[in-house]
Amino acid sequence: MLDSLHRARTEAISKILGNSDKNSLEQIRIEYLGRNGRINQEAKIITSLTKDEKVEFGRALNEAKRAIEGALDEALSEREAVEQQSFDPTIPGILPPVGSTHLISQAIEEISSIFTQIGFTRRRYPEIETDWYAFEGLNMPKDHPARDEQETFFVEGGLVLTPHTSSGQLREMLSSKPPIRMINIGKTYRRQSDLTHIPMFHQFEGLVIDEGLSISNLLGTLDYFAKNFFGEKREIRLRPYNFRFTEPSFEVDISCDVCGGVGCKFCKQGWLELGGAGMVHPNVLKAGGVDHKKYRGFAFGWGVERTYMMKSGIKLGDIRTILSTDIRHLSQF
Amino acid sequence: MAIELKITDSMLRDFLETDAKPKEIASSLSLCGPSFERVHKLEGDHMYEIEVTVNRVDMASAYGIAKEAAAILPQFGHKAKIKPIKIEKYLKGDLKKTPVVKTKKVKYFAGIVVGDVDGKIVDQKLKSYLEGIGEASKNYIVDATNVAMYSYGAPVHAFDLDKIEGVGFTVKEAEAGETISILDGRKLTLRGGEIVFEDNNGLFDLAGIMGGEDSKVTKDTKRILLATEIIDPLVIRSSSILHECRTHAAVLNEKQPSKQSYQAAIEYACQLIVKIKGRSEGSFVYDKIESSPAKSVIVGLEQINSTLGVPLTKPEIEKILSPLGFEVKWDGEVGQFKAPLDRQTDIGIPEDIIEEVARIYGYFKLPKKLMTGAIPTSKSDPIFAFEKNVRTLLSGWGGHEIMTLSMVGSTKSSEEIKILNPLGESAGSMRTSLKDTTIIALKENNWNNQPMFLFEIANVYLKSKKNKTEHSEVSTLSIGFANFDQRTAQGIIDGLKLKLRSKRLNQLSKVGEYFIFEQSISEMLDIKERSAYKIVEKKPLHFEDITLTKEEGERVSELIEEISNATEEVSSIDLLNIHESKYTFRITFNYARSEVSDEKVSDVRGLLEKKLSNRIK
């Protein structure tokens, strides 16, 4: 009664010995030890045995199962040991496809996220603007030099390509009621192209309108941005300047990261220029439909490209490289 | 934009008494007033390179800087006060013969005749002032006019009176085509409208910009006319730009210094000359400037302090403003502020007063405070998060984002918006599609034979078809594939559709060797709601593989539709393999094999084969 069982056991073990293929060993396991496997098939005769025969058969059945399982375990262990020995962690990998988002998109994302943390709403306003939004509404009369043909692109229909994101200040004030905290990031255009200027670039413009705002709030906001963007140790300062759409107006400087603010050949007495800022001119508030007796505002507008390159230390040499579509350039970011 | 000014420390100290050293002067003033860009050490002196904001032409002189220094330096613990220079009154208007002014664009014109001069003399002090700021010394007469300009911020010119026909010349607007030889050696052909001086010999001065070659002071000069004029700033600007003659005189005149500055400059120049060698013989003044009473600006103490964010007292404010020449009268907590004469055009609203107080007090002393008011509840446009998601997906799958110029060459489309003053023909219109620039970018990378794809998210610009004066800016995604097989490129699009849940994405198009995708972001943003969660089957779903023949000209979508119509309970239909005209599909059903009978499986297979029999060859 045990011959067939013994044959099944021997057959299984002979198939296992010398076999190192994982799938093959699994097939053997199913074939012999599975629910409908050989061993269980052999076990079907147990119902026709006597009591004493059942005891003997049961013992032999269990021994067969253990022997096959043991052989399988040993074969798998040997295989693992061999794999472990041949495992070489220094083999270079095969890179998955690695793409890139544009340097400027990364910059915009980072800048935007800092301001949205303190309650600013992100906007993107038109690039083609009317004269009023681009200049007149910003307290720049028709004879202002910024309108000079040499700097502004004029477009048919009496429109312009906006030279600054400040046009967004008016759009925001006319569409939202105070309190306002806006970060407008978009493309701007100036009619110049050389090593340090490109005709199309990006600016980010902050506008805050509320009751009781002060220059201290502007300082606090710019300081918050500078520390989050450039690093905790960096300081900012304001110097007097002049813009038509702000009064007072400021030039904003940041402490030099090379010398720590002491002064070196890369900076001016320890400071680098960042961009402009100021308290929104009452004429601009009026143009935006905001009661300038009740509300005050501050605004700042800086170049995305310039600000990001100051932080990252990327030295392009020719800023027009920003618009390069060569993968060797793009994949560096 | 700024006015660039160079002065020596000696010139400054002609007007300023202070214990501050040059670097201290530079750093203190830069924080509160004019920006000192550089301090150069000279032998026995220093030279300052200063940038003055365009609204403060009153600062564009040694005297102007001295006034600022007198107000600012005490804030930093230095002693400082103005040292006024006594200037004789030479402008008496006592000449019988005067120039004839034939244009309303000249509002003020003053002249002093100085005789008994000697063009051979060079004064060392005047020479050292000019050489200290990098300007050439000519002779004491010309040097005196230049030093006067840098001292008081208004241009003065000296003419050799014997080379022109006396002071009875004409001041007029030039006619188109007239010519003049100017001091830099060029002969200009005038456009018409420039302000010029003319006598019977022709034009001899491009007024307010540069003197004429024919009337210049030389070694032989014995008698001169000193002249200064206030001309319409728009004429100065357009003329000096047109003729590429952006002299310091033109820059100053364009910014309109006060009449007092012009008077001080011409009289100071005369005094410098007369002290060395010369004798004033008379003067004329043409003045059409209407004088208006000095304005006052009313500002409350509360407004000043709440704008600064610090509480200043009334005496502190007065102490800050008085060195600048401001007068203050208080009525309770409200002040009446009167600006000095040379600040009348610059100070007009309360914010101007607040600026004066704040900058002299020192912006660096103000605390830094974030806003504490209510956070606005307006929401950002969902387009930003969507665009970010698109970028993340595409770059994660190996795509490189590009950024290209919005301006392109004309495509003659009726929708394109033309730029009237482009930088070149190749950038004369705003693009109506991203496709062309994407293809150019792919071609620029044609050294790379590896599969690659580039993408761009940017606006395209379209004129309205109904109303030509209206336009729209449409955020658009463009993807270009190079060295890609079609199915892999399509896989990227299908992946976008899956992850973004867009209801509909455009099809790929083939342009030469490239595959291109383009669609507006707003169309892509039309997304499906998230489908309800499906409990995951523990057992694998049943599937059937079937190979069909596609006829020439037919689309794969037709085969997929036939399969879909031929059977039910389908979870997905995937194209596994293509071999010539044979397309093998895997039809996955939404039930597990173990849950259905062999009979059902056989029936489904049979039905498929029957309905698709014409395709199974």
Side-chain angles (χ1 to χ4, degrees):
Chain A
M1 67 172 174
L2 295 176
D3 288 344
S4 184
L5 177 64
H6 288 316
R7 268 200 302 278
R9 170 179 164 165
T10 309
E11 206 178 86
I13 289 171
S14 72
K15 283 183 183 177
I16 291 167
L17 286 177
N19 190 340
S20 62
D21 182 74
K22 203 171 165 183
N23 290 334
S24 173
L25 289 168
E26 177 64 15
Q27 287 302 317
I28 294 167
R29 189 196 68 76
I30 294 170
E31 187 184 350
Y32 288 91
L33 299 178
R35 203 146 51 98
N36 297 319
R38 281 285 297 278
I39 300 300
N40 282 346
Q41 294 297 326
E42 295 296 330
K44 283 179 181 172
I45 67 161
I46 208 165
T47 52
S48 61
L49 298 177
T50 65
K51 194 176 168 186
D52 288 339
E53 285 171 338
K54 276 182 190 172
V55 169
E56 192 188 349
F57 188 85
R59 198 180 301 127
L61 190 73
N62 287 335
E63 279 174 14
K65 280 185 186 174
R66 276 198 296 272
I68 296 170
E69 278 168 2
L72 281 169
D73 286 344
E74 199 176 321
L76 283 169
S77 295
E78 272 176 25
R79 183 194 141 83
E80 269 178 38
V82 167
E83 275 183 355
Q84 199 63 30
Q85 273 181 352
S86 61
F87 174 65
D88 179 2
T90 67
I91 291 179
I94 298 173
L95 268 181
V98 176
S100 62
T101 54
H102 198 274
L103 173 69
I104 297 307
S105 296
Q106 294 177 37
I108 290 173
E109 204 49 52
E110 188 173 347
I111 291 166
S112 172
S113 72
I114 291 172
F115 285 106
T116 51
Q117 282 168 36
I118 49 172
F120 281 68
T121 305
R122 180 157 167 208
R123 300 284 190 225
R124 189 166 66 205
Y125 281 118
E127 297 167 30
I128 301 178
E129 273 294 10
T130 65
D131 183 276
W132 190 84
Y133 279 107
F135 299 113
E136 208 172 331
L138 293 172
N139 200 36
M140 276 189 272
K142 290 213 184 293
D143 55 1
H144 192 270
R147 294 161 165 280
D148 201 308
E149 262 204 304
Q150 291 174 342
E151 292 177 24
T152 305
F153 283 109
F154 293 94
V155 160
E156 57 182 330
L159 303 171
V160 298
L161 298 187
T162 190
H164 46 214
T165 40
S166 307
S167 44
Q169 291 185 31
L170 291 164
R171 289 198 174 268
E172 182 71 13
M173 285 189 274
L174 289 168
S175 63
S176 308
K177 289 195 178 358
I180 290 172
R181 294 187 198 179
M182 168 201 87
I183 186 79
N184 172 31
I185 311 180
K187 286 188 170 125
T188 50
Y189 301 85
R190 292 196 193 163
R191 201 174 174 279
Q192 46 193 239
S193 179
D194 54 43
L195 288 179
T196 56
H197 298 94
I198 33 177
M200 178 193 89
F201 56 103
H202 297 77
Q203 283 189 342
F204 62 103
E205 183 96 10
L207 172 71
V208 177
I209 309 275
D210 207 342
E211 291 180 74
L213 279 183
S214 68
I215 301 172
S216 295
N217 296 135
L218 168 63
L219 272 165
T221 304
L222 299 183
D223 185 62
Y224 178 84
F225 171 74
K227 288 194 159 45
N228 277 275
F229 189 76
F230 291 105
E232 270 298 320
K233 292 189 180 158
R234 307 293 287 280
E235 295 291 332
I236 57 130
R237 70 174 188 184
L238 302 181
R239 286 182 294 112
Y241 203 68
N242 175 248
F243 299 107
R244 292 287 305 180
F245 32 90
T246 47
E247 186 70 23
S249 306
F250 316 109
E251 187 75 55
V252 185
D253 295 334
I254 187 159
S255 55
C256 177
D257 56 332
V258 175
C259 64
V262 169
C264 67
K265 63 179 182 181
F266 298 105
C267 66
K268 285 183 190 171
Q269 291 96 48
W271 297 91
L272 300 159
E273 287 176 15
L274 257 183
M279 302 303 285
V280 181
H281 198 287
N283 287 352
V284 177
L285 290 173
K286 273 186 241 168
V290 171
D291 181 355
H292 71 285
K293 294 209 185 311
K294 184 175 177 190
Y295 296 103
R296 270 199 291 271
F298 65 75
F300 51 90
W302 301 349
V304 170
E305 286 83 352
R306 189 163 181 281
T307 306
Y308 197 73
M309 283 194 283
M310 280 176 70
K311 161 189 167 126
S312 59
I314 296 172
K315 301 216 178 340
L316 289 179
D318 182 345
I319 195 163
R320 290 168 291 195
T321 315
I322 282 252
L323 297 177
S324 170
T325 55
D326 191 322
I327 280 193
R328 292 169 295 190
H329 160 79
L330 298 168
S331 56
Q332 292 189 45
F333 309 114
Chain B
M1 284 173 294
I3 304 169
E4 288 169 12
L5 174 71
K6 289 181 190 173
I7 55 171
T8 60
D9 185 64
S10 310
M11 284 169 81
L12 178 61
R13 288 179 199 263
D14 279 348
F15 297 97
L16 177 72
E17 217 173 88
T18 180
D19 59 359
K21 299 191 183 61
K23 283 203 169 154
E24 290 165 337
I25 293 173
S27 59
S28 306
L29 266 64
S30 292
L31 277 181
C32 302
S35 177
F36 281 60
E37 298 294 299
R38 275 172 197 86
V39 180
H40 301 276
K41 189 150 182 4
L42 307 173
E43 200 176 314
D45 206 344
H46 288 78
M47 191 266 272
Y48 302 113
E49 283 188 37
I50 305 168
E51 277 191 7
V52 172
T53 54
V54 296
N55 65 323
R56 294 297 310 276
V57 69
D58 62 287
M59 273 202 265
S61 63
Y63 180 53
I65 299 293
K67 282 193 289 179
E68 287 285 310
I72 293 166
L73 288 171
Q75 298 289 325
F76 292 84
H78 298 292
K79 294 195 179 91
K81 65 176 186 184
I82 284 288
K83 229 170 35 177
I85 291 180
K86 187 173 184 324
I87 304 178
E88 294 284 337
K89 185 105 180 87
Y90 292 101
L91 285 175
K92 292 173 185 169
D94 52 353
L95 275 180
K96 289 199 172 74
K97 196 154 188 206
T98 62
V100 178
V101 178
K102 288 187 173 176
T103 168
K104 287 185 179 160
K105 301 275 168 78
V106 174
K107 300 185 180 127
Y108 177 84
F109 183 22
I112 305 173
V113 174
V114 185
D116 200 26
V117 298
D118 184 350
K120 289 194 281 299
I121 296 173
V122 172
D123 178 77
Q124 290 307 314
K125 187 176 177 185
L126 296 178
K127 181 174 192 261
S128 72
Y129 276 175
L130 291 176
E131 287 180 346
I133 62 172
E135 298 242 339
S137 162
K138 303 251 192 292
N139 49 63
Y140 79 108
I141 300 162
V142 175
D143 291 357
T145 61
N146 286 329
V147 168
M149 176 175 70
Y150 289 113
S151 296
Y152 283 101
V156 182
H157 189 69
F159 300 91
D160 185 326
L161 204 47
D162 294 326
K163 289 179 183 164
I164 60 179
E165 293 171 346
V167 294
F169 55 85
T170 302
V171 180
K172 68 166 198 175
E173 291 174 42
E175 285 163 33
E178 286 193 285
T179 60
I180 179 172
S181 296
I182 52 175
L183 284 172
D184 64 6
R186 291 185 294 151
K187 186 170 180 175
L188 303 179
T189 302
L190 302 177
R191 173 185 55 187
E194 298 93 329
I195 305 301
V196 291
F197 294 175
E198 181 185 50
D199 65 7
N200 289 330
N201 294 324
L203 305 184
F204 66 85
D205 186 50
L206 187 60
I209 299 173
M210 188 177 275
E213 178 70 19
D214 297 336
S215 58
K216 73 178 181 187
V217 170
T218 62
K219 286 186 300 195
D220 302 319
T221 299
K222 299 288 178 220
R223 217 161 150 255
I224 60 169
L225 169 69
L226 291 173
T228 190
E229 52 279 341
I230 300 179
I231 297 170
D232 185 327
L234 293 179
V235 173
I236 294 290
R237 181 170 173 83
S238 62
S239 304
S240 59
I241 289 173
L242 174 71
H243 297 298
E244 293 175 10
C245 210
R246 295 290 288 166
T247 57
H248 192 66
V251 170
L252 287 176
N253 279 327
E254 181 192 308
K255 301 295 180 285
Q256 292 256 261
S258 67
K259 187 167 74 174
Q260 291 73 24
S261 301
Y262 286 92
Q263 289 166 342
I266 192 174
E267 289 184 325
Y268 187 51
C270 184
Q271 182 162 292
L272 287 171
I273 292 167
V274 160
K275 261 192 182 166
I276 297 164
K277 189 176 192 304
R279 181 176 31 86
S280 168
E281 294 180 0
S283 62
F284 64 83
V285 178
Y286 171 90
D287 187 351
K288 294 295 178 194
I289 295 176
E290 287 173 17
S291 57
S292 46
K295 292 180 296 207
S296 286
V297 178
I298 312 286
V299 194
L301 180 64
E302 195 278 332
Q303 188 181 355
I304 294 174
N305 288 342
S306 63
T307 306
L308 266 64
V310 290
L312 295 181
T313 62
K314 287 184 271 191
E316 281 172 320
I317 291 170
E318 285 170 40
K319 195 174 169 197
I320 284 170
L321 292 180
S322 66
L324 294 173
F326 283 78
E327 290 170 22
V328 189
K329 271 192 202 133
W330 294 99
D331 180 8
E333 302 297 277
V334 177
Q336 191 178 58
F337 297 82
K338 199 153 90 176
L341 280 176
D342 61 352
R343 301 290 307 276
Q344 285 290 311
T345 51
D346 160 52
I347 302 290
I349 57 174
E351 286 75 9
D352 296 328
I353 297 294
I354 292 169
E355 179 178 32
E356 294 302 288
V357 174
R359 68 177 182 92
I360 302 295
Y361 173 75
Y363 298 131
F364 60 95
K365 289 187 199 162
L366 299 177
K368 294 171 185 150
K369 295 189 261 192
L370 275 176
M371 294 76 70
T372 53
I375 292 177
T377 53
S378 54
K379 293 182 178 44
S380 276
D381 193 328
I383 202 173
F384 299 124
F386 191 82
E387 287 175 354
K388 181 182 174 184
N389 202 3
V390 169
R391 285 194 180 93
T392 305
L393 288 169
L394 292 177
S395 61
W397 292 332
H400 293 279
E401 185 181 11
I402 60 174
M403 204 164 272
T404 57
L405 281 177
S406 306
M407 303 90 98
V408 294
S410 173
T411 59
K412 313 274 187 254
S413 159
S414 61
E415 284 183 299
E416 78 180 14
I417 298 166
K418 289 191 188 33
I419 299 168
L420 302 176
N421 59 335
L423 272 172
E425 275 307 307
S426 62
S429 297
M430 299 302 282
R431 58 185 169 190
T432 55
S433 158
L434 299 182
K435 183 180 70 182
D436 292 339
T437 40
T438 303
I439 290 171
I440 290 170
L442 290 172
K443 284 180 181 166
E444 279 173 358
N445 285 288
N446 68 3
W447 53 268
N448 182 357
N449 293 320
Q450 299 301 310
M452 68 158 181
F453 73 96
L454 307 175
F455 67 95
E456 184 169 13
I457 299 176
N459 279 341
V460 299
Y461 311 85
L462 304 164
K463 238 189 254 183
S464 162
K465 284 175 183 156
K466 289 179 197 163
N467 183 346
K468 293 291 174 195
T469 60
E470 284 177 7
H471 75 280
S472 54
E473 295 173 25
V474 182
S475 180
T476 302
L477 168 67
S478 169
I479 312 175
F481 299 88
N483 306 308
F484 257 71
D485 68 273
Q486 183 184 347
R487 290 201 68 198
T488 314
Q490 185 61 45
I492 299 289
I493 309 305
D494 292 344
L496 275 183
K497 190 171 183 208
L498 180 68
K499 296 300 286 183
L500 298 172
R501 306 200 313 276
S502 297
K503 285 183 184 165
R504 196 193 73 79
L505 290 188
N506 286 346
Q507 291 179 332
L508 279 179
S509 59
K510 195 160 196 304
V511 180
E513 57 192 294
Y514 308 118
F515 294 106
I516 301 291
F517 169 86
E518 187 170 7
Q519 188 160 10
S520 74
I521 296 288
S522 59
E523 282 175 9
M524 295 172 69
L525 240 178
D526 184 16
I527 59 175
K528 294 183 273 197
E529 292 292 320
R530 281 192 192 277
S531 41
Y533 178 72
K534 285 183 203 159
I535 294 172
V536 176
E537 292 288 334
K538 285 187 186 154
K539 295 162 191 167
L541 297 177
H542 174 57
F543 63 85
E544 293 279 356
D545 290 349
I546 191 163
T547 299
L548 306 179
T549 303
K550 186 174 80 71
E551 301 297 336
E552 183 108 9
E554 281 186 319
R555 301 215 150 195
V556 176
S557 55
E558 293 174 42
L559 268 67
I560 294 173
E561 201 180 331
E562 280 190 38
I563 296 170
S564 186
N565 291 337
T567 188
E568 293 170 351
E569 296 180 273
V570 172
S571 173
S572 64
I573 301 170
D574 301 302
L575 177 60
L576 287 183
N577 189 45
I578 303 170
H579 177 68
E580 293 173 356
S581 65
K582 307 282 186 216
Y583 286 69
T584 302
F585 295 91
R586 173 157 295 177
I587 307 162
T588 306
F589 295 90
N590 55 17
Y591 48 80
R593 174 64 182 92
S594 56
E595 288 168 4
V596 296
S597 63
D598 293 346
E599 203 183 333
K600 173 163 181 177
V601 169
S602 178
D603 284 348
V604 166
R605 178 92 207 173
L607 191 61
L608 264 176
E609 286 173 355
K610 186 179 170 190
K611 288 198 174 179
L612 299 169
S613 57
N614 60 323
R615 295 260 184 212
I616 302 171
K617 290 174 189 169

